[in-house]
Amino acid sequence: MATEEVMSLEEAVQDDSDARKIIVRLLDESTQVATIKDHFSNFGAIHDIDLKVDDVGKSRCFCFITFTDAAIIDKVCEEVHSIDGKEVIVARAIPYKDRTKTNKLFVGGLPESLTEQDIHSFFDQFGKIEKIETVIDQETQRRKHFCFIVFDSTDAVEKAVNGKNPPRSVIHKIGKFRLECRKKFPEGHPIQKKFKEMRKQQMDIYPGPSIDTFGYSYYGYSSYGYPGTFQPYTPTAFSYGGPLRPNSQRGCFGYRPY
């Protein structure tokens, strides 16, 4: 059998395994594999249980379970599970290669003159758009300077950002306007949490209104995770060898390099 055929067979087996796998979190430290098997075998035949332990053999309180039938995974994840008197969290195990993928795109730096149709017409080159989510400022009743685009596939977002993960982003131009685009993950996602932590550290180092590359206060979306409002900022301090430039001329962190 040719090497290419062997590799494709291995990939197919791996993909099938991923579809049949769940992750169980918040297990009690004393919970054993046999107990886990007794509980989950009620849903279907189990192929393998991988209970994670540390260097000294102590349970890390989570495990992976691979069933023989992928069709039962949804039912298993919908149920509430309690093992050894403790409620555990059960979810599909997301393959590592898919953990950095999302079908949601953050677009910042939106001027008011760009309509939703303008945004749709430009970004549909990357894939089919399901919806565009905009946010209205409750005080001004005007659209904030960012939006989220939800595509029907993760491949569309990968194309839009050239496969880059936050905090890295890509600049797209619609006419004369430069828009900053990056992947948007759910708030509990490890990448999103790390990104928010980085933003918080940045704000601790540079206190005060946080000005982005385009002169907006993070487009009215503070730290890309906490709702905020657009607040024009006129600095009066001097730094980096001279006075700060107007918003439209400032670079990263609000400073233009000299």
Side-chain angles (χ1 to χ4, degrees), residues 221-234:
Y221 194 65
S222 305
S223 298
Y224 301 97
Y226 301 99
T229 56
F230 171 53
Q231 299 177 343
Y233 177 53
T234 304

Side-chain angles (χ1 to χ4, degrees), residues 15-55:
D15 289 342
D16 178 64
S17 174
D18 290 337
R20 295 183 284 113
K21 186 179 294 186
I22 63 171
I23 181 171
V24 183
R25 299 186 178 92
L26 300 185
L27 289 166
D28 190 83
E29 290 183 359
S30 63
T31 297
Q32 301 296 311
V33 171
T35 306
I36 298 171
K37 185 174 183 178
D38 286 343
H39 176 84
F40 286 99
S41 60
N42 293 319
F43 296 90
I46 294 175
H47 173 71
D48 178 65
I49 297 178
D50 182 12
L51 178 62
K52 297 299 182 180
V53 298
D54 59 21
D55 294 338

Side-chain angles (χ1 to χ4, degrees), residues 133-226:
E133 300 175 352
T134 58
V135 180
I136 302 300
D137 189 306
Q138 296 303 311
E139 294 183 5
T140 65
Q141 293 303 306
R142 296 162 70 179
R143 186 185 72 190
K144 292 188 178 182
H145 298 276
F146 69 93
C147 74
F148 299 106
I149 301 177
V150 180
F151 291 91
D152 71 342
S153 71
T154 58
D155 289 340
V157 175
E158 292 295 315
K159 293 177 184 177
V161 299
N162 295 330
K164 296 180 178 179
N165 293 321
R168 300 171 68 196
S169 61
V170 170
I171 301 299
H172 287 293
K173 293 185 67 175
I174 300 182
K176 64 180 180 180
F177 302 113
R178 291 164 54 86
L179 309 179
E180 183 180 14
C181 303
R182 62 167 51 92
K183 296 178 182 179
K184 176 65 174 72
F185 296 94
E187 294 305 312
H189 192 284
I191 292 180
Q192 192 70 16
K193 289 170 65 175
K194 183 176 180 180
F195 184 45
K196 288 169 65 174
E197 290 171 1
M198 291 176 62
R199 287 296 191 191
K200 184 178 183 302
Q201 291 174 2
Q202 184 186 95
M203 295 177 71
D204 289 340
I205 297 173
Y206 299 92
S210 300
I211 307 300
D212 55 66
T213 305
F214 304 93
Y216 299 123
S217 180
Y218 284 129
Y219 320 114
Y221 194 65
S222 305
S223 298
Y224 301 97
Y226 301 99

